[in-house]
Amino acid sequence: MEDTFERESAARLIRAEQTGLRLALACRSAATGAAFIWYVLAAILFPEVTPRLATIGVLFAFTAVGVAHVAIIGTTYDRPWIKFVIYGLDVCAICAVFALVPISRADDVPQIIAFRAYGIYFLFPLLAMACLSLSWRLVLWTGGTIIAAWWVAFIWVQNQMGSYLSWADMPTNATRADYESVFLSIDFIGRGNRIEETGMVFFATLALAAAVYRARAVFFAQVAADIDRQEEQTLRERVSDLLGRHVPEAIATRLIEDDSPLRPQRTRGTALVMDVAGFTAFSAQHPPEHVIETLDALLSDTAKVVSEKGGVVLSYLGDGFLATFNTPVSVTDHETAALAAAKDLVTVAKTHGFDVRIGIASGDLVTGIIGNETRQSFTVYGDAVNLASRLEGLGKDLKSSILLDKATGVVAGDVVELTRLGEHPIRGVDGQIEVFAAS
């Protein structure tokens, strides 16, 4: 179960991460591609705009990189670290624009205006798109890179200024004139604002990473639930295939919850073999369709009787079947349960217009699954099985519907009145076997 869960969850998570990453990169490439197209068209539509070739080259390169990454996701060329590099480059590129691309062609306009006119919110879409990958590590990486690159760009711009103003230059009891001279000054850098911005990014990163982490936990829980349902369905189908459709729901549920009874084992139990008397003659006198329909109805009702007493029909033998008690599912007082089932079988068969012969024997039973990968069956071996079959055949000679061996009669005789029929030779058994009959 654990190995199956690990393999299945890993495979599903990889597929989910790849789908989310494709979506994030597609959005990112669409954005950079749109910016590239607009920047080029702006130069054509507005002659007064002079495009910067460096900006065109950067936008084209980033669009191409995104498209290329989408193309290799899930292929042999894909590597886990590529997405970290792509997101890192995107963050650094945006921060580099703030630090290096002049906001004005005038030489006397400081670059700090870019931080004041626009802001860190240009980087939030990257953080949001990182969540689509379902990788909390990528979210933390993206958020951390944003904070680091933003401060590097800000400090770079600040160091390029000969002099600057900040909140520290604001008087304690600042007036309107003070705000106009400091806050509205073109040399105002607003270091405190950068601290607030990075604080928001920091907490947003933690919250989004936690959300992705919880989403993964829900994802794994869903995978585990799906695997449990699949295994339960597989086991239910296996029980149905091995033991037939007349396994009662209670027994099937017990075998699904614990399939150890299906494994090879030796158990003391009781075997019951039932055969319909005179069915060969009946089948010769009726059309095949009627014969099968009648036999199906009879065996269906008689198999239900066995199930109600805690037994399991393991195989059908022409117009009869072999059933066991206390294997593969444990039954209290299996000898008595088998005899009680036999008496009810006689009654049910008469409602269908037939008599049955039943042989019952108790002893060690060896049960287990035999077959290959394509076909398997649950079977039972043991002297008790052979003896039950011989007793069923002996019932025809002794004119008795239910015959039991001594091992069954000693226990069941305390509950049901039995008739001792003496010792009889049984083919395949050394010596003679003491036989009992139940009316």
Side-chain angles (χ1 to χ4, degrees):
M1 170 63 183
E2 184 175 351
D3 291 342
T4 301
F5 171 73
E6 290 180 353
R7 290 195 302 270
E8 183 69 14
S9 60
R12 292 193 189 186
L13 182 59
I14 289 174
R15 291 195 295 270
E17 287 180 340
Q18 290 175 347
T19 300
L21 189 58
R22 286 192 186 97
L23 178 60
L25 289 172
C27 293
R28 172 256 191 209
S29 299
T32 56
F36 169 76
I37 294 172
W38 169 250
Y39 198 76
V40 173
L41 288 178
I44 300 174
L45 298 176
F46 307 103
E48 68 274 12
V49 176
T50 303
R52 293 184 175 91
L53 295 179
T55 302
I56 294 177
V58 169
L59 289 174
F60 177 80
F62 272 80
T63 302
V65 168
V67 172
H69 190 194
V70 171
I72 68 170
I73 291 176
T75 68
T76 56
Y77 300 102
D78 194 11
R79 295 295 183 272
W81 51 265
I82 294 179
K83 58 180 177 288
F84 292 92
V85 173
I86 296 293
Y87 273 82
L89 287 175
D90 286 347
V91 170
C92 292
I94 293 176
C95 292
V97 169
F98 276 82
L100 302 177
V101 177
I103 196 170
S104 172
R105 295 185 183 277
D107 295 334
D108 58 346
V109 178
Q111 188 63 21
I112 195 65
I113 293 297
F115 288 83
R116 295 171 57 184
Y118 301 104
I120 202 169
Y121 52 82
F122 276 87
L123 293 164
F124 270 93
L126 292 176
L127 188 60
M129 287 188 291
C131 297
L132 295 175
S133 68
L134 292 182
S135 171
W136 59 269
R137 293 182 177 87
L138 182 59
V139 175
L140 290 178
W141 163 263
T142 304
T145 306
I146 288 174
I147 293 173
W150 187 247
W151 274 99
V152 168
F154 174 74
I155 293 173
W156 168 269
V157 170
Q158 175 186 301
N159 291 337
Q160 303 306 306
M161 299 173 64
S163 62
Y164 53 81
L165 297 174
S166 188
W167 286 111
D169 297 302
M170 187 75 71
T172 303
N173 299 316
T175 64
R176 176 175 180 147
D178 293 328
Y179 275 96
E180 291 176 348
S181 63
V182 176
F183 181 70
L184 298 182
S185 172
I186 200 170
D187 294 320
F188 181 75
I189 62 173
R191 187 183 297 110
N193 300 92
R194 306 293 85 75
I195 295 174
E196 292 175 354
E197 291 168 347
T198 53
M200 287 189 295
V201 172
F202 177 77
F203 288 110
T205 299
L206 293 182
L208 291 174
V212 171
Y213 188 85
R214 290 193 61 188
R216 289 168 66 98
V218 173
F219 176 86
F220 288 131
Q222 182 63 46
V223 173
D226 289 345
I227 292 176
D228 286 340
R229 285 194 293 269
Q230 291 172 3
E231 292 194 342
E232 180 177 338
Q233 180 63 26
T234 299
L235 188 53
R236 188 179 294 275
E237 292 174 354
R238 188 183 184 203
V239 169
S240 178
D241 291 341
L242 295 177
L243 302 182
R245 63 186 177 96
H246 291 298
V247 178
E249 184 65 25
I251 292 178
T253 301
R254 289 164 62 184
L255 291 175
I256 290 169
E257 293 175 349
D258 177 17
D259 65 345
S260 58
L262 298 179
R263 301 167 189 163
Q265 60 179 313
R266 182 186 300 274
T267 309
R268 183 166 182 80
T270 299
L272 181 152
V273 174
M274 186 199 79
D275 187 71
V276 181
F279 196 82
T280 301
F282 172 84
S283 62
Q285 299 171 4
H286 295 84
E289 296 81 0
H290 179 66
V291 173
I292 295 300
E293 181 181 352
T294 302
L295 181 61
D296 182 66
L298 173 60
L299 293 181
S300 177
D301 288 347
T302 52
K304 289 178 182 177
V305 169
V306 173
S307 298
E308 290 170 357
K309 299 302 181 182
V312 176
V313 175
L314 292 185
S315 61
Y316 289 92
L317 311 169
D319 53 11
F321 56 66
L322 164 65
T324 57
F325 294 78
N326 205 42
T327 186
V329 180
S330 61
V331 178
T332 303
D333 299 327
H334 51 87
E335 298 92 346
T336 304
L339 181 55
K343 293 173 70 66
D344 288 346
L345 289 173
V346 173
T347 302
V348 170
K350 288 184 179 298
T351 64
H352 287 268
F354 292 96
D355 293 321
V356 293
R357 293 189 302 271
I358 299 172
I360 304 176
S362 300
D364 288 342
L365 299 176
V366 178
T367 56
I369 298 172
I370 61 172
N372 53 35
E373 294 180 354
T374 58
R375 183 172 179 82
Q376 296 179 334
S377 65
F378 185 84
T379 189
V380 58
Y381 301 93
D383 292 338
V385 176
N386 297 327
L387 181 55
S389 179
R390 299 289 186 265
L391 289 174
E392 179 274 317
L394 183 62
K396 183 176 182 179
D397 298 331
L398 299 182
K399 309 299 182 184
S400 179
S401 297
I402 304 174
L403 294 184
L404 302 79
D405 69 338
K406 183 177 180 179
T408 306
V410 169
V411 178
D414 295 335
V415 180
V416 180
E417 183 177 352
L418 300 177
T419 301
R420 185 178 182 279
L421 300 182
E423 295 184 347
H424 293 268
I426 301 295
R427 181 166 57 89
V429 178
D430 294 336
Q432 296 190 341
I433 298 297
E434 189 169 8
V435 181
F436 295 82
S439 57

